[in-house]
Amino acid sequence: MAFNYSFADRLSNAGTDSPFAVGIEVAALERQGHKVTKMHIGQPDFPTPENVKEAAIKAIHENKTGYTTSNGIFELRQTVVEELKKRYGVDVDPDGVVITPGTKPMLFMAAFALLNPGDEAIVPNPGYGAYHSSVYLAGAKPVSLPIVEEKKFSFDHEALKSAVNSKTKLLMLNTPANPTGGVLTRDDLKVVRDLTLENQQMMVLSDEIYARIVYDGKHESIYSFPEIQDQVIYADGWGKAYSMTGWRMGFGAMPVEVAKKVSSVAINTYSGVVNFNQYACIEAYKGPQAAVDTMLKEFDARRKLIVGLLNEIDGVSCVMPKGAFYAFPNVKEICKRTGKNSQQLQHWLLHEHDLAILHGTAFGSLGEGYLRFSYAASQNDIRAGVEKMKKAFASV
Ligand SMILES: Cc1ncc(COP(=O)(O)O)c(C=O)c1O
């Protein structure tokens, strides 16, 4: 007889992070001989730069293999401080920097450190699933901030203002954004700044993991407004910009008082990040940046290719993304024609047409009628993937 397991209620509203769930389905199809075109996961298809790999190997040979302080080694935290000064002109205390095992844990740790049951946290919808999950897991209530295509996938200023109330403890932002590729403008950020100053109970968590992947113009950050720095947690990581997703390295920069609480979550869960990986991250920021530039150029070419091809499909329209490596085509017309919602479209495209992408609702209810393509895939895969979708849609 099967054991009757009893599980914690808190996990009932946690997401499954769709790229990983779809990855399991893809692996099963491949074992059956299917040639699946994989555009479901946001992972650069480039190797980690050689100088970065060498720095980790050197650190291993130097026996940098024991525990480190839970918030990360001082040299890396200082390197992050210098990087943030260079990017945004801000002065951050190295004790306000916490190095984390990937950027995702930083989101959870912020939610755990700041939220109580009854508190509200505003999260983008559609938006990266971990925002919603981390708020739920902390026992608080996520409140949707609609991200709208008509605003080039930014938010409506009035909608943000009306979402904030005295219970709002956290506002989560993401620019450039997953899944839409949208970016926040300086005007959007000024609205956030003013609202943050008016609401002294509210912190802003700005996830800028795609800060280095911006195509048109300059990356704008809430961190460049020093007047609200004591209400901001800036989150970033090495995974996307340096093709280091599997190294699991991220960080948060925040007021020292907040960093102490966040570090306490680290101390009580994973103790600290991999020692020698931290030396690789120092090299990533301090060493040559040519590999980042090469990737960005290639992503830009792929961006133009995929958006051009998607817009050639009858019933599909796709806004040109301004950052990250995702295209988020509107397929509402196809949903109407086929009678399928975007989740059913995703399932159909994977199981009957060997194309792995994600449905917009994997990122929140307002993603209905959209699909997400990751173009961190080769140009050949982009051509093959969009062709599969074109044929599938033409058949209905
Ligand atoms: C917006 C956003 N934040 C955070 C993450 C997680 O990054 P990491 O792999 O460093 O945990 C991702 C990964 O796709 C992401 O898209």
Side-chain angles (χ1 to χ4, degrees), residues 180-193:
T180 61
V183 301
L184 299 182
T185 63
R186 195 135 186 103
D187 282 345
D188 297 328
L189 295 172
K190 280 182 184 161
V191 171
V192 174
R193 176 200 56 192

Side-chain angles (χ1 to χ4, degrees), residues 17 19-20 41-43 100-107 127-131 173-179 207-210 235-240 244-246 248-251 324-326 363 372:
D17 204 339
F20 295 101
I41 195 150
Q43 165 150 273
T100 49
T103 307
K104 194 192 268 176
M106 184 58 238
L107 313 173
Y128 182 53
Y131 306 136
L173 298 178
N174 177 213
T175 184
N178 178 8
D207 176 354
E208 302 188 21
I209 192 169
Y210 300 104
D236 194 355
W238 287 266
K240 314 287 181 180
M244 292 174 71
T245 50
R248 310 304 306 130
M249 293 298 290
F251 72 85
F325 35 58
Y326 306 108
F363 301 91
R372 191 199 79 170

